[in-house]
């Protein structure tokens, strides 16, 4: 009998998580700290709010962010993200677009409205979605996202997008520290 046995993931994305864990272990073993977020003050971790309804997607992002000094708050839908944003202080928001209760586009609009009402500076929002056709990217940007990251997430691409978005926000005069409660 000819052929090959190929393992199939029990959970979508499981191999990606395993690959990230293996990559992190190899970096640690080699003494390399891995990808670095831009040259930012190190007196505190990068504060990240992530909204995604799928536990595997949240796990993948958590593993990627473990490569840098980040404090992650993960929620399961846009309504939870909007409430967390109103109560907390974040350097960047990672927002899935398709979620129950409140979708990501509505949540992004809510975040932008809250920033205006509360006279807060613009916090970088990155849409992180499998919906990556040009109309999806345009809709995310129109809703107020600063960037769109396609799933499956490539660690270096996500960390680079976070780095650039936060650096641009700070360069434009937004004091992300002023959002702290």
């Amino acid at each position: 009998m000819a052929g090959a046995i190929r393992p199939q993931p029990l959970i979508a994305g499981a191999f990606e998580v395993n690959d990230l864990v293996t990559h992190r272990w190899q970096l640690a073993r080699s003494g390399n700290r891995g990808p670095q977020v831009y040259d930012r003050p190190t007196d505190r971790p990068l504060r990240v709010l992530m909204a995604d309804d799928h536990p595997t997607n949240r796990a993948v992002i958590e593993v990627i962010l473990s490569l840098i000094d980040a404090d992650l708050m993960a929620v399961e839908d846009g309504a939870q993200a909007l409430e967390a944003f109103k109560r907390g202080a974040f350097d960047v928001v990672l927002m899935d677009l398709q979620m129950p209760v409140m979708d990501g586009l509505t949540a992004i609009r809510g975040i932008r409205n809250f920033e205006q009402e509360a006279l807060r500076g613009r916090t970088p929002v990155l849409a992180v979605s499998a919906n990556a056709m040009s109309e999806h990217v345009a809709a995310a940007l129109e809703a107020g996202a600063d960037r769109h990251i396609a799933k499956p997430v490539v660690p270096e691409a996500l960390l680079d997008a976070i780095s650039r978005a936060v650096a641009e926000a700070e360069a434009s005069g937004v004091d992300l520290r002023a959002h702290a409660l």
Side-chain angles (χ1 to χ4, degrees):
M1 180 181 253
I5 298 174
R6 299 192 201 293
Q8 297 295 313
L10 297 176
I11 300 173
F15 290 138
E16 290 85 355
V17 172
N18 288 338
D19 291 344
L20 287 171
V21 171
T22 300
H23 178 67
R24 183 171 185 204
W25 178 80
Q26 289 169 339
L27 288 172
R29 192 167 168 213
S30 72
N32 183 339
R33 292 182 57 212
Q36 300 296 306
V37 172
Y38 75 100
D39 219 4
R40 59 183 296 278
T42 57
D43 61 335
R44 65 169 176 78
L46 186 72
R47 297 166 306 203
V48 181
L49 172 61
M50 173 190 47
D52 198 303
D53 60 319
H54 198 284
T56 300
N57 293 336
R58 290 192 306 272
V60 168
I61 299 293
E62 184 175 352
V63 170
I64 293 170
L65 292 178
S66 73
L67 296 170
I68 63 171
D69 188 17
D71 183 15
L72 174 65
M73 173 183 241
V75 297
E76 297 179 7
D77 62 58
Q80 291 175 357
L82 183 54
E83 285 307 309
F85 186 83
K86 289 178 178 180
R87 289 189 319 266
F90 299 96
D91 297 306
V92 67
V93 177
L94 307 177
M95 185 75 67
D96 186 19
L97 297 181
Q98 288 191 325
M99 296 177 286
V101 182
M102 179 187 288
D103 66 86
L105 296 176
T106 303
I108 293 169
R109 287 185 196 102
I111 286 170
R112 295 303 181 217
N113 288 336
F114 174 75
E115 287 172 332
Q116 287 180 342
E117 292 168 4
L119 302 176
R120 282 176 51 173
R122 183 181 173 99
T123 300
V125 176
L126 308 180
V128 182
S129 178
N131 295 341
M133 296 178 70
S134 60
E135 60 264 24
H136 300 129
V137 174
L141 297 176
E142 183 180 314
D146 296 286
R147 285 183 167 65
H148 184 285
I149 308 298
K151 290 179 185 174
V153 175
V154 175
E156 291 79 10
L158 178 64
L159 294 175
D160 182 61
I162 291 171
S163 176
R164 289 175 188 270
V166 172
E168 288 168 7
E170 290 179 346
S172 70
V174 173
D175 183 3
L176 296 171
R177 295 169 179 275
H179 296 192
L181 300 175

